[in-house]
Amino acid sequence: MKLQLERNTLLPLLQQLVSIVERKQTDALLANIRLEATAEQAVYLTSSDMEVELVAKLNGVVEKPGITTLPARKWLDICRNLPDQSTLEIFLEGNRAQLRCGRGRFALATLEADEFPEVELSSEVETVVLPQDELRGVIERSHFSMASQDVRYALNGLLIELTGRGIRAVATDGHRLALAEGVGEIEVTQPRQVIVPRKGVHELLRILGTDSTPLQLQLDSNHIRVEVGDVRITSKLIDGLYPDYYHVLPEKNEKHLTLAREALRQAVSRVAILSNEKSRGVRFQLRPHLLSIGSHNYEQEEAEEELEVDYSGEEVEIGFNANYLLDALGAMETEHVVISLNDSKSSGLFRPEGDERTRYVIMPMQI
């Protein structure tokens, strides 16, 4: 194998590929990136951790086709430190890859590519076409509510629903829930509901852009695959049943208020400084025309902020986790937020003003 690659084209792809590679590997091969150079002057780079696979295609000058694997992080570090606009030459000598750039030379140990894992989708694949900003949007507005290392394994991923009406993403850790829906209709043979694991979700966000370029989303019984430009990601799905999240959405909250989202976010951020470090609880005390936000901790320290609000109903006092509030408020883009409450023991519903497609449910807590 012998080929030449442009450093400025290779570097961003290596950075994406290395994000898949775990630092501690039981299989040394998974610490490598698979490199395949073809006679058609195409070069394919693949990284995998057995759960998520990332494949990137780039053009190069291929003098001699071949296939091998190179140490992922060492290759990235070398490429990162090469001069801008330089060309990297790669060729094999025995079980070593020689990398040359100008007067620099690097010899890297290689491993045979024969055993490198490759993901093949089954013959029964559902293919859906949708704008990439739609997919990115629903993931961005919901993924932060996923659980982490929960014994209820399904909660450690993001639920993605595909129906003729569009796409929906749902995440919950049992204490909060985020639901985000797309705006456009899509063509599906039948409604689908899949659970994408945490790592697959984060890698999707890395490659998805913010424009409306159509992309293909493929699903089989065990995988989700998305291709954006010259990068393709395939992730295993979580095998399990997701909770019936519709039962969590509050329907009887009758106390509604609208206020400036950024003012609320800043107030919660400041008050949370003196909240209990473990519970991170803040108190909402709502009365006509005024919302008081307070906190205290074991050192008897206290904080309180008051915001004028458009509200004329009954008084209510309720506690929330400050981090959950800040996550939800930070994911919104509207100027105002609408809050719906019932009593101190019922979940609060938060949504961007004028946006019925995005909802955040936060369970109350004792302050």
Side-chain angles (χ1 to χ4, degrees):
M1 181 174 70
K2 188 174 183 180
L3 69 152
Q4 294 179 9
L5 298 172
E6 296 298 321
R7 178 259 189 193
N8 286 12
T9 302
L10 175 62
L11 179 57
L13 295 178
L14 284 180
Q15 290 171 328
Q16 287 183 315
L17 289 155
V18 169
S19 69
I20 302 291
V21 179
E22 299 287 350
R23 289 192 177 273
K24 295 182 179 179
Q25 289 284 0
T26 55
D27 185 348
L29 193 57
L30 296 181
N32 284 18
I33 289 176
R34 182 178 183 268
L35 167 64
E36 180 181 2
T38 70
E40 291 76 27
Q41 307 300 304
V43 178
Y44 296 90
L45 308 177
T46 305
S47 62
S48 173
D49 68 350
M50 302 300 291
E51 181 180 277
V52 179
E53 176 193 80
L54 196 62
V55 180
K57 177 187 175 183
L58 68 160
N59 296 323
V61 178
V62 180
E63 298 181 30
K64 184 179 179 181
I67 182 170
T68 189
T69 72
L70 302 180
R73 298 189 187 279
K74 293 176 183 177
W75 190 11
L76 172 62
D77 288 341
I78 292 170
C79 189
R80 183 185 285 129
N81 287 282
L82 294 178
D84 192 33
Q85 303 295 336
S86 58
T87 299
L88 180 65
E89 182 182 6
I90 304 172
F91 61 94
L92 291 181
E93 284 186 353
N95 60 354
R96 286 187 164 208
Q98 301 290 339
L99 280 61
R100 290 182 179 176
C101 180
R103 294 186 177 183
R105 185 180 68 84
F106 310 88
L108 292 179
T110 64
L111 293 174
E112 292 293 333
D114 295 347
E115 300 299 323
F116 198 89
E118 292 185 75
V119 178
E120 295 291 340
L121 301 186
S122 69
S123 58
E124 298 181 1
V125 177
E126 173 86 32
T127 300
V128 178
V129 179
L130 72 163
Q132 65 172 316
D133 58 347
E134 279 287 288
L135 180 58
R136 182 182 183 87
V138 297
I139 294 175
E140 279 189 327
R141 303 199 309 271
S142 61
H143 76 285
F144 53 83
S145 290
M146 291 185 295
S148 177
Q149 298 180 334
D150 198 293
V151 293
R152 298 163 294 182
Y153 197 52
L155 300 189
N156 297 319
L158 180 73
L159 177 72
I160 292 182
E161 289 187 339
L162 298 169
T163 68
R165 294 187 298 274
I167 185 170
R168 175 186 297 131
V170 181
T172 180
D173 60 7
H175 302 285
R176 57 175 168 171
L177 180 141
L179 182 150
E181 297 175 327
V183 296
E185 297 181 356
I186 56 178
E187 294 185 10
V188 291
T189 56
Q190 61 181 2
R192 292 290 300 269
Q193 189 180 82
V194 298
I195 308 171
V196 184
R198 170 181 291 273
K199 187 168 184 177
V201 170
H202 289 157
E203 295 305 324
L204 275 170
L205 284 176
R206 284 179 183 269
I207 72 167
L208 289 170
T210 56
D211 59 62
S212 58
T213 304
L215 60 77
Q216 282 194 345
L217 185 153
Q218 295 180 293
L219 294 169
D220 69 6
S221 58
N222 297 310
H223 301 92
I224 181 172
R225 173 173 287 176
V226 173
E227 190 164 346
V228 179
D230 292 328
V231 179
R232 186 187 75 201
I233 182 172
T234 307
S235 172
K236 284 187 176 180
L237 299 173
I238 293 177
D239 184 15
L241 293 176
Y242 207 78
D244 186 359
Y245 59 87
Y246 265 106
H247 288 158
V248 179
L249 298 175
E251 297 181 353
K252 298 182 180 179
N253 288 5
E254 298 177 350
K255 300 177 177 66
H256 308 287
L257 65 151
T258 302
L259 67 162
R261 178 185 63 85
E262 183 60 19
L264 176 61
R265 190 192 67 79
Q266 293 184 13
V268 171
S269 295
R270 291 190 290 265
V271 169
I273 295 171
L274 297 185
S275 65
N276 182 288
E277 291 184 2
K278 291 185 178 180
S279 68
R280 295 286 289 167
V282 296
R283 180 192 68 255
F284 275 28
Q285 190 170 14
L286 179 63
R287 50 188 182 272
H289 311 297
L290 192 68
L291 172 64
S292 175
I293 307 169
S295 69
H296 64 271
N297 57 35
Y298 291 133
E299 286 77 34
Q300 305 302 313
E301 297 169 326
E302 298 179 348
E304 186 173 16
E305 292 242 3
E306 291 183 343
L307 297 173
E308 293 185 1
V309 294
D310 181 14
Y311 177 75
S312 58
E314 298 177 356
E315 291 190 16
V316 62
E317 184 173 317
I318 187 171
F320 293 113
N321 181 292
N323 292 341
Y324 297 169
L325 288 169
L326 293 173
D327 283 344
L329 293 170
M332 300 181 194
E333 297 181 349
T334 55
E335 185 175 346
H336 291 86
V337 56
V338 178
I339 305 175
S340 301
L341 304 173
N342 188 27
D343 54 41
S344 62
K345 298 181 180 179
S346 301
S347 298
L349 178 64
F350 300 76
R351 62 175 179 82
E353 184 184 33
D355 182 3
E356 298 290 342
R357 301 176 295 109
T358 305
R359 285 168 278 181
Y360 302 106
V361 180
I362 303 177
M363 290 184 64
M365 62 183 300
Q366 193 72 33
I367 302 297

